[in-house]
Amino acid sequence: MANTIIGSSIVIDGEISGDEDLVILGTVKGHISLKDTLQVERTGVLEADIESATVTIGGQITGNIQATERVELQADGRMVGDIKAPRILIADGASFKGNIDMDV
């Protein structure tokens, strides 16, 4: 199944939900609820609470994440908020401010 991509010049203010993978290059404010994977690229900026199976962060997130599988904060990733997930990867160079709960 092809990914859904929110382009770098797109700004969404509201709620996103769905059953397929989502790649964000632009800006999203609100709430995101996905059954599969959310990937935030380097140009992506989120001010949102997120529920997903897997979240990969290469851009900026302000908000809380609840993942059923894992959260990966890449070297260029920046996050302020709480993470609740059974597996969490934080790469060297990433920035994180918040709490982590792996008791899922």
Side-chain angles (χ1 to χ4, degrees):
M1 187 181 309
N3 289 337
T4 299
I5 299 173
I6 296 174
S8 59
S9 64
I10 302 295
V11 176
I12 294 176
D13 190 349
E15 184 172 327
I16 298 173
S17 61
D19 294 340
E20 59 187 83
D21 295 347
L22 176 63
V23 177
I24 297 178
L25 302 169
T27 301
V28 176
K29 299 176 182 180
H31 186 266
I32 299 173
S33 179
L34 301 173
K35 291 202 182 197
D36 286 329
T37 301
L38 173 64
Q39 184 170 339
V40 182
E41 296 292 341
R42 288 184 64 201
T43 58
V45 177
L46 271 68
E47 294 178 23
D49 288 331
I50 300 162
E51 297 172 35
S52 184
T54 302
V55 180
T56 303
I57 307 161
Q60 298 180 7
I61 293 181
T62 302
N64 299 321
I65 297 176
Q66 185 167 346
T68 56
E69 292 180 21
R70 75 182 177 116
V71 174
E72 179 180 351
L73 190 54
Q74 298 175 334
D76 291 330
R78 305 281 176 260
M79 177 165 174
V80 176
D82 297 339
I83 298 174
K84 184 173 185 177
R87 292 185 297 154
I88 299 169
L89 303 160
I90 301 178
D92 187 29
S95 172
F96 173 73
K97 181 177 181 180
N99 297 305
I100 294 176
D101 182 356
M102 295 178 71
D103 187 23
V104 178

